[in-house]
Amino acid sequence: MPVRSLFLVTLVVDDFDRARSFYCDDLGFDCVEDTSLADGKRWLVVKPKGDEGAALLLAQAADDRQLAAIGNQAGGRVGFFLKTDDFARDHAAMRARGVKFMEEPRREVYGTVAVFADPYGNTWDLIEHAPR
């Protein structure tokens, strides 16, 4: 079987520009593509800096069902995991840019971690894995 990788995940948001600002300005992601489509839609892809990991397709909600999914795409669990090679540096930089952490950093057997929320209520782990 050929090797495959997960490269893109859709995240439903309320507004393209608000989402782009948070992910690119506050979290420091790169905007990989921002292309206008028909009916006011956009193909808006953002990705953490570097070559590793999947990107996010930021998709503006188009109906009531999609609006209801905003902020609850993982059913209340931490749904997204942002890996860092320097927890202290990135935690401080994110806090300085207004990212809201829901807890103080903690050490676990797998690494240093703290949960933060995006503007929609989706929860994320910022994590630096422990050396193996």
Side-chain angles (χ1 to χ4, degrees):
M1 181 175 214
V3 175
R4 294 184 172 92
S5 67
L6 180 65
F7 74 98
L8 191 62
V9 175
T10 298
L11 183 65
V12 182
V13 299
D14 65 348
D15 179 82
F16 287 120
D17 293 328
R18 178 177 181 224
R20 180 179 173 160
S21 176
F22 175 75
Y23 288 100
C24 293
D25 298 338
D26 296 347
L27 294 188
F29 285 20
D30 288 329
C31 183
V32 176
E33 185 174 354
D34 189 352
T35 303
S36 295
L37 305 172
D39 300 323
K41 294 182 180 180
R42 284 160 62 182
W43 187 259
L44 178 54
V45 179
V46 298
K47 184 178 186 311
K49 294 186 183 308
D51 296 329
E52 188 177 332
L56 295 175
L57 172 65
L58 302 176
Q60 187 168 298
D63 57 32
D64 289 341
R65 184 175 176 202
Q66 292 175 14
L67 281 169
I70 294 173
N72 193 32
Q73 295 185 134
R77 295 184 58 112
V78 172
F80 304 94
F81 301 83
L82 186 58
K83 183 169 74 171
T84 177
D85 62 353
D86 187 333
F87 183 92
R89 175 199 65 212
D90 291 339
H91 181 259
M94 290 166 66
R95 287 182 51 139
R97 290 190 294 259
V99 174
K100 304 287 191 247
F101 280 84
M102 302 171 69
E103 64 182 10
E104 292 300 314
R106 57 190 158 79
R107 293 199 187 278
E108 300 289 348
V109 295
Y110 53 83
T112 304
V113 63
V115 177
F116 69 93
D118 69 15
Y120 309 103
N122 295 302
T123 50
W124 292 68
D125 272 357
L126 175 64
I127 183 167
E128 179 181 357
H129 287 114
R132 290 182 176 207

